[in-house]
Amino acid sequence: MATAAQLAGWRSCPRCGTALEHGDRSVSCPSCGLEEYANPAPTASALVRDDDGRILLARRAGDPGKGLWDLLGGFMDEGEEPLETLRRELREETGLELEVGDFLGGIPDTYGDGGPATVNLYWSATVAGGESRPADDVAELAWFPQDELPPRDDFAFANTIELLERAGAAFGEAER
Ligand SMILES: [Zn+2]
């Protein structure tokens, strides 16, 4: 039975309890007509650089990926435009205001192992103002030279590594 990964574990209708029918990209309920599609949740994130080309990373305070490095950004709210999400998340997580530059691309991933599917939209950015103060969900903020990033194993999400590789960044060696 081919079924979308995100919905593979769904057995019964969350609305009426009837057994669901699984299709390639969705599940449907033969009783009440509910249809759920396995669309990824969009996020908006920033590759923030300073005048020296250093990259701003955040160490995550919670799971998934607690204690691991991440780029700054987050999930879009309903009715929000991606750049609104980006500016809101940066303000909430760091206290910083952004000057947003080029769109860098969208990279599919999951939010943690076996977690919901995401598509992660990235923009380049610089700091335009504000005062840096990590929020509750950020354990630490730090600037890294782009050829001296932490090792790949110290990052929370594969899409972050992919984006940083595309941007020409280099990672440190993991300690063994
Ligand atoms: Zn139903």
Side-chain angles (χ1 to χ4, degrees), residues 13 15-18 29 31-34:
C13 177
R15 203 153 64 186
C16 75
T18 303
C29 175
S31 177
C32 76
L34 176 92

Side-chain angles (χ1 to χ4, degrees), residues 93-165:
E93 292 179 334
T94 70
L96 296 172
E97 299 292 334
L98 291 184
E99 176 75 31
V100 178
D102 294 337
F103 178 60
L104 300 176
I107 305 177
D109 201 355
T110 60
Y111 192 58
D113 287 341
T118 57
V119 60
N120 302 275
L121 311 177
Y122 284 100
W123 282 262
S124 65
T126 55
V127 174
E131 214 161 291
S132 179
R133 41 162 183 71
D136 293 350
D137 51 352
V138 175
E140 180 186 357
L141 292 168
W143 294 92
F144 289 88
Q146 82 149 24
D147 54 357
E148 292 176 35
L149 295 184
R152 283 177 179 76
D153 287 351
D154 291 354
F155 281 82
F157 304 112
N159 77 87
T160 310
I161 295 170
E162 168 84 25
L163 187 280
L164 288 165
E165 284 175 343

